[in-house]
Amino acid sequence: MTSFRDDVQDALDRSVAELGVAGIVAHVQDESGTWFGAAGVADRETGRRREPVDRFVIGSGGKAFTSATVLQLAAEGRLSLDDTVEKWLPGVAGANGNDGRRITVRHLITHTSGLWVTGFDAEMVRAYHTREGFAEHRHDVWTVEKLFELQMSKPPIFAPGESFAYTNGGYHLAGAIIEKASGNAYEDEVERTVIKPLGLTGTYARPLAEAGIRGPHARAYSRMFIRDGVDPAILNTANYESYLQGPETDPVDVTDSTSFAWAAGSVASTTGDMLRFTSAMIKGTLLPPAQHREMWTTVPTRDWIPNTRYGTGVSEWTLADGGTLHAVVGMSNGSASFTLGTPGAKRLVSVNLNCDWNWAPALDLIIEAAFGSPFFAQG
């Protein structure tokens, strides 16, 4: 009789053999201990295998670190989730119909601020999601001021608190508020409030000007480039994937590049650290009870991952059989990172692909192997 860990390894092997992913790992934690499995490669040139020590950028999983930092500052009395953006960042959120007097810190970290979704800005798409543009802009260094300028360049899409729209800009504002409330750099405050208390030895928040990944890491490979001749202005959440280049194109090694994600998704970590972090978020062993409840007070999502609800940087996923997983998830250029656990954190799985294609079917194979029911396969 095979164990579910054998099934997870089979899912990893199938992800490489059938879905063509570059490399994939799964780190499992349950009452029997921990287990690490891998398939594919960390480096397509050398053929090096993925290892537990490998770091990777966790993408929007970094939002959970930002939210945990905000909530710790709230517990310390440094700020309130009911504070407005205007209180902390006077005049920053006032252009083109945006109104920082109406947007609260809570709105920012639950994606209910109404700020427009900058990911589909035509110039951003040209610069980072065309092969020619990426080659030219991969080492551009963004500033917080430039991030704010982009976010405020268009009007809001709904009134604060009225709906849900997944946008990095809210987290950039939250990162700046962290700096104002603490007097420390965002990266240092994440270290103080989250990384050090949890003993995350392989984790750090990457500054805007820093390229690449410190220490041992897998290479990151991307095919997230739109086809030649596509006008970026027509792209939206519903049609974006249909305009991407296909598997006939060679992936680009995007490891050595800067990022504009900052407080919205530039944390680097390991699967082992993500197990520890996510377990603490689920169990409430880092945050005080009031802030832990706040983290998991969820809202329904729109135009994001289906069958989910969003808290503050974390999400709840409903499986095809009706079961629920608590999750810290994110995509970054050339990397897909997912750590999911049962509500009591009795079983957790941390998954990383060092590529950004076919992550959904690969993750579905692992979720079904580890938790007994698929997620994406449901109708």
Side-chain angles (χ1 to χ4, degrees):
M1 181 176 177
T2 62
S3 71
F4 84 92
R5 297 180 181 187
D6 295 322
D7 295 334
V8 172
Q9 183 60 59
D10 180 63
L12 296 171
D13 293 337
R14 287 180 60 192
S15 296
V16 174
E18 299 174 15
L19 301 174
V21 306
I24 183 170
V25 296
H27 210 146
V28 174
Q29 176 181 302
D30 62 9
E31 294 170 323
S32 300
T34 59
W35 172 87
F36 179 86
V41 296
D43 188 321
R44 297 176 76 236
E45 288 190 5
T46 68
R48 181 176 74 82
R49 297 272 294 173
R50 296 287 307 262
E51 300 289 345
V53 296
D54 284 345
R55 285 176 172 152
F56 45 87
V57 177
I58 65 171
S60 286
K63 291 180 173 70
F65 285 77
T66 299
S67 290
T69 301
V70 168
L71 292 168
Q72 287 282 40
L73 289 172
E76 294 170 5
R78 307 276 195 98
L79 57 76
S80 167
L81 298 194
D82 294 319
D83 289 344
T84 65
V85 172
E86 183 67 17
K87 173 180 177 177
W88 288 105
L89 307 172
V92 166
N96 292 309
N98 294 286
D99 190 351
R101 298 169 301 178
R102 300 180 61 196
I103 302 171
T104 66
V105 174
R106 183 180 286 105
H107 290 143
L108 298 178
I109 59 177
T110 58
H111 296 296
T112 57
S113 65
L115 296 169
W116 79 286
V117 181
T118 58
F120 292 108
D121 176 74
E123 292 308 311
M124 292 286 284
V125 172
R126 288 189 184 94
Y128 295 100
H129 293 291
T130 65
R131 288 178 182 252
E132 182 180 5
F134 180 77
E136 180 182 351
H137 295 284
R138 66 184 299 161
H139 291 127
D140 286 0
V141 175
W142 283 71
T143 64
V144 176
E145 290 72 24
K146 285 175 63 180
L147 292 171
F148 291 164
E149 182 182 343
L150 173 64
Q151 184 60 68
M152 298 304 152
S153 64
K154 288 185 172 58
I157 53 179
F158 54 78
E162 190 176 85
S163 188
F164 176 95
Y166 195 90
T167 181
N168 286 340
Y171 272 81
H172 294 148
L173 290 165
I177 291 171
I178 286 171
E179 294 192 329
K180 282 291 188 74
S182 68
N184 295 323
Y186 163 78
E187 296 81 8
D188 294 337
E189 196 62 7
V190 172
E191 179 87 12
R192 180 186 76 85
T193 60
V194 181
I195 294 173
K196 281 188 175 179
L198 291 179
L200 306 180
T201 57
T203 302
Y204 68 96
R206 191 169 61 147
L208 279 164
E210 187 170 318
I213 304 171
R214 303 172 196 170
H217 58 272
R219 308 300 298 178
Y221 300 102
S222 181
R223 282 201 186 113
M224 293 290 287
F225 301 103
I226 62 170
R227 299 197 302 269
D228 293 340
V230 173
D231 180 1
I234 70 171
L235 300 177
N236 56 46
T237 303
N239 68 18
Y240 185 79
E241 287 193 9
S242 67
Y243 289 109
L244 291 175
Q245 294 180 345
E248 73 282 356
T249 60
D250 290 331
V252 176
D253 185 333
V254 297
T255 316
D256 178 27
S257 58
T258 54
S259 171
F260 50 82
W262 194 49
S266 228
V267 170
S269 191
T270 65
T271 51
D273 274 7
M274 288 307 296
L275 288 173
R276 179 174 291 191
F277 173 77
T278 306
S279 177
M281 296 305 100
I282 295 173
K283 292 180 178 179
T285 54
L286 176 70
L287 298 171
Q291 283 69 40
H292 181 248
R293 287 193 298 273
E294 190 77 54
M295 173 168 266
W296 291 100
T297 300
T298 60
V299 297
T301 63
R302 290 181 56 192
D303 298 323
W304 193 55
I305 301 171
N307 304 308
T308 60
R309 294 180 63 88
Y310 201 87
T312 67
V314 297
S315 52
E316 293 180 350
W317 293 27
T318 301
L319 301 179
D321 68 356
T324 299
L325 296 180
H326 288 186
V328 176
V329 304
M331 295 283 298
S332 67
N333 208 10
S335 178
S337 176
F338 308 89
T339 305
L340 308 103
T342 54
K346 289 187 176 180
R347 178 174 294 178
L348 296 105
V349 178
S350 186
V351 179
N352 174 256
L353 292 77
N354 56 312
C355 63
D356 53 19
W357 61 86
N358 281 352
W359 60 267
L363 181 61
D364 221 26
L365 290 173
I366 294 168
I367 289 175
E368 185 166 16
F371 300 105
S373 175
F375 174 73
F376 290 102
Q378 58 192 297

